[in-house]
């Protein structure tokens, strides 16, 4: 039961992501695409420390550790 609920939650999240990305790619849309959001985050620095890149790397590490490591 809980497994099905978790899978359903991920599917709903994926569908919402696809709808928002579709809406962002329409002509004249003010919604940023995922690529634009990632580019903005990756440019963030504090002094000469690339905090955005470190954060994105940390997010991918966390994601892989929790969902891909067995």
């Amino acid at each position: 039961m809980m497994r099905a609920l978790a899978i359903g939650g991920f599917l709903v999240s994926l569908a919402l992501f696809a709808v928002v990305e579709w809406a962002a790619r329409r002509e004249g849309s003010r919604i940023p695409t995922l690529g634009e959001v990632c580019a903005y985050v990756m440019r963030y620095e504090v002094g000469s420390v690339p905090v955005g890149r470190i954060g994105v790397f940390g997010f991918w590490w966390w994601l892989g550790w929790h969902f891909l490591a067995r």
Side-chain angles (χ1 to χ4, degrees), residues 7-69:
I7 291 171
F10 280 111
L11 290 175
V12 167
S13 297
L14 185 64
L16 286 173
F17 168 77
V19 167
V20 170
E21 188 69 17
W22 172 79
R25 292 182 181 273
R26 292 180 316 170
E27 190 170 333
S29 177
R30 296 183 61 197
I31 302 169
T33 64
L34 178 63
E36 293 169 342
V37 171
C38 286
Y40 180 79
V41 170
M42 293 284 279
R43 284 192 306 265
Y44 185 73
E45 292 183 350
V46 175
S48 64
V49 179
V51 177
R53 290 179 188 261
I54 293 169
V56 170
F57 176 77
F59 169 73
W60 281 114
W61 177 81
W62 179 88
L63 194 71
W65 183 265
H66 284 84
F67 295 111
L68 302 176

